Every structure is written in C-alpha cells, then in structure tokens.
Amino acid sequence: MLTSTAFLVVMLVGVPIGLCLCVAAIVYVLASGNMVLFQSYPLQMFNAVDSYGLIAIPLFVLIGEIMNAGGITKKIVDMAMAFVGSLRGGLAYVNAIANMFVASILGSATAQVAIMSQIMVPEMEKKGYDKDFSAGLTAYGGMLGSIMPPSVMFVVYSVMAQVSVSDMLMAGLVPGLILTALFCVVIAIIGHCQKFPRSEPQTFKQRAATVWAAVPSLSIPIVIVGSIFSGLASATEAGAVGAVMSLLIGRFWTRRLRFSDMPAIMTRAGLYSAIVLFLVVAAGVLSWILVFGRVPQEVAGWIQTVAKDPVTFMLLANVILLVIGTVIDGIPGLIMTVPILLPIATEVYGIDPHHFGVVVVINLVLGLLSPPVGLCFFVAAAATGANPGRMFMVTMPFFLITCVLLVILSVFPTISLIFIG
C-alpha cells in the first residue's frame, strides 16, 4: 500500500514515469525492512537492458529519423496516391495505406503521427476534407506504427516476456494488415455517406514514374520484414541493414539528405532511444519487486474467480488494458501491466505469449487515441491545429472497428500466430 501511494504521489508531482517506478521500488525495499535487497537493485537494473534484442530499438529509431530527413516518407505517400488517389475519398485511402508502409519502418506511433500529420493533413484540407477528420485519421494510422514490424513496443515486450524479438515482430504483421483493411472499409462507408472528393486520375505514364521513384524507398520495409521472416537476419541485424539502406537512399536517390545532417539525426535518435531504454530499466526493477511481493499470484487468484476460460480472460484483459492505456503512454503501460498479466495468461490460461503481446500492444496504443489523455490526438493537433475532442468524435468508427478486431483476436489467436513457427 505504501509503495502504491509513493508511486502515485511522485507521478502526480510530475516526475517521469521511469523515475516513479524506481522510487516506488526503493520505497518497497525500505518498507519491507529487508535492506539486503538494495544489493540486488543495481544488478536488476543492469539485467533489464542486458539483451542483444534491445539494440534493435536505436536502430529502428535511427531509420525513422533518416527517413524523415531524407524525404523517403513523401515518396511512399506519392506512390499510394498513384494507386488509390482517384477513388472517392482517395486521399483518405492514401493516408491509411501510406501509414501502413511508413509504419513498417518508423515503428513508433507518436513519431509516425507527427510526421504524417505534416504531410497528409494540409493536402487533405486543400482537397476539401474536414481538418479534424484528416488529423484524426492520421492519428489512427499512427496505431500501425506500434503493430506493423518493426515495432519498438514489440521489442520492449519481447524482452520483458523473454520471447524472440523476430517472432514477436512477425506476430503483428497479419493483425496490422487486417487493421489497415478494416480502416479502408470504414473510409469507404464514410466516404460514400459524406461524398468525399475525388482526386484527378493519373495517366499510366505518371503512375509508372511515381512508382519507379518510390521503389528504393519501398525496398527498406521489404528488406527489413523479408530478412526477419526468411530467417536471414535477426531483428537487430535487419535494423542495421535498414539504417544503412535508408542513409544511402536518402543521400543518393532522393538527394534530400546530407552527411552533415547525420550528427543531429543520430543525436535525436540517441535521446529517444535513451528514454525508451531507461523505461526498460524501470520495467526490470518493477518486475523484480512484483515477483518478490507475490503480486502476480494475488492478482491471478482474483482473476480466476472472474474468468473461467482463456477467452473470458482475454476479454477481461482487453478492458483492463484499454482503461490503463487511456491514461498512461504505451511503453510505461507495458511496464506496469506485462509483469502482472503475462504470467497469469501463460501459466494459468495457457495463452501464447506472442498472441498476448499483440493484444496488449493494440489495446495500449488504442488508449493513446482515447480520452482523457489521447496522446496521439494531441500530437496530431499540435502539428495541424485541429481540435482533439472533435477529432475523437468524428473518428469514432475507427475506434469501434479496432475494438471489433481486438475481440476477434481474443477469440481466434491463430490470426497472430500464422508466421510463428
């Protein structure tokens, strides 16, 4: 009780969530009177990041930074426009499809929303789309950044769950593709009802030129996902290859990137990676304290009185995770929930940890698009000037269809395990 109180107090004061967790662990040790635990405290912090798989995080972040600076994202948007831009609501389809491709490189929901908002929303406004809808759709597209491989959240989860990073990334591929398809269905329905505008059709020659210009950019996600799926490279190795490819394409193909830009790019990537890795350290300390205090066992006992089978447990977990995701960011949400819920899912109900990880991540990211916090909406609003509250209302169908997908995944786990050997 004292530990929980200490955590809430320091969090409400405004202390970063990683430090809150570390302070709460110290308070627990002091309250227990077992000072010997302080000898293990530094070791637990070190063990939390002593993982080869975590090297993938700075590499994936670096790829996103290079893409943004090198104009690679714009090439992918132009290619999507060539294929679906002439349909009714074409720019809305472009938004969803381009987000899917960009997600397979950036791997971060908030970073993706910030970048795509500046690219897509002004263009959609020019064509007559509502600004709040455009920004809201872009925010929902950012969900794919945490689901499609590579995903920083999946890397963090895989380390916490002690499963293969490559397998965890591939588990998100099919759900990510399904979610993209469902978003396109919603766009089609809304576009028909609201008479979305059409863009001017392109000639075959124009489309061919646009696709040719985007081929090198598309090779980045193809190589990353393909090398992981084929077993030719681990997620970390694929991230290194992707970083080199994005550097070469940005410098010699799009010619928007200069080698003199690299120090600033690497500094930004390093700062974000350091924040994520410190959260992983806090996760290791929290997991250690929770296990020592037998918290998972106590929670498991309560859940077993409510959920009698795996499906019921998954549906209950969906509600818990979504509520937590509405007030806590994605990676801190992982840190607070996985050490408690994962042992219950795997040991009590026999749920595959890869499948559980997909459901956890989608729920927590959906929470980023839900009141009262809605971080992705605020990121999109800051970039475009849209109204966060109205963004949530006009994009409610996307929220509902994502909830439907979560229920389907909870009932049919094989969807997320197709590519897991």
Side-chain angles (χ1 to χ4, degrees), residues 59-291:
L59 291 172
F60 291 158
V61 174
L62 180 60
I63 292 173
E65 291 289 345
I66 295 174
M67 275 186 55
N68 189 29
I72 298 173
T73 306
K74 184 66 167 58
K75 296 291 184 183
I76 295 175
V77 172
D78 291 341
M79 187 208 67
M81 177 67 78
F83 283 104
V84 296
S86 60
L87 300 175
R88 181 176 296 280
L91 275 177
Y93 289 110
V94 169
N95 199 335
I97 294 172
N99 263 300
M100 180 189 69
F101 283 111
V102 174
S104 64
I105 307 175
L106 289 181
S108 167
T110 51
Q112 184 169 334
V113 171
I115 293 169
M116 295 299 289
S117 292
Q118 297 175 49
I119 295 174
M120 291 304 307
V121 177
E123 191 66 27
M124 292 180 73
E125 271 194 282
K126 290 179 186 176
K127 301 297 183 181
Y129 290 83
D130 177 72
K131 177 191 285 188
D132 295 320
F133 174 82
S134 304
L137 175 59
T138 306
Y140 271 97
M143 284 188 64
L144 302 172
S146 297
I147 304 169
M148 297 289 288
S151 161
V152 172
M153 286 187 69
F154 278 158
V155 174
V156 174
Y157 173 87
S158 65
V159 173
M160 296 179 68
Q162 297 183 350
V163 297
S164 166
V165 175
S166 298
D167 285 347
M168 194 64 242
L169 293 175
M170 297 313 300
L173 182 59
V174 173
L177 292 172
I178 292 174
L179 188 60
T180 304
L182 291 174
F183 281 179
C184 288
V185 171
V186 173
I187 290 169
I189 295 172
I190 296 176
H192 177 76
C193 295
Q194 299 186 7
K195 304 299 181 184
F196 280 169
R198 299 175 184 266
S199 299
E200 294 182 6
Q202 297 185 18
T203 65
F204 176 79
K205 186 176 181 180
Q206 289 173 320
R207 289 180 178 176
T210 302
V211 172
W212 171 250
V215 165
S217 302
L218 286 177
S219 67
I220 300 173
I222 291 172
V223 168
I224 292 174
V225 177
S227 59
I228 294 173
F229 179 71
S230 63
L232 292 175
S234 67
T236 302
E237 294 162 346
V241 172
V244 173
M245 287 183 62
S246 58
L247 173 62
L248 295 176
I249 291 169
R251 179 66 185 91
F252 298 109
W253 184 263
T254 64
R255 298 183 179 179
R256 292 270 305 274
L257 183 68
R258 296 171 298 180
F259 288 127
S260 59
D261 297 330
M262 288 306 297
I265 290 173
M266 296 184 74
T267 299
R268 290 195 299 270
L271 288 173
Y272 180 74
S273 301
I275 293 171
V276 174
L277 291 173
F278 181 73
L279 289 172
V280 175
V281 168
V285 173
L286 177 68
S287 301
W288 167 57
I289 289 299
L290 290 175
V291 170

Side-chain angles (χ1 to χ4, degrees), residues 319-365:
V319 176
I320 295 172
L321 291 164
L322 183 56
V323 171
I324 291 173
T326 60
V327 293
I328 299 176
D329 199 359
I331 294 177
L334 280 178
I335 292 169
M336 297 183 67
T337 57
V338 171
I340 297 174
L341 294 179
L342 180 62
I344 302 172
T346 56
E347 297 170 14
V348 177
Y349 295 98
I351 296 169
D352 187 279
H354 302 91
H355 165 61
F356 186 69
V358 172
V359 173
V360 169
V361 169
I362 294 177
N363 269 292
L364 292 176
V365 178

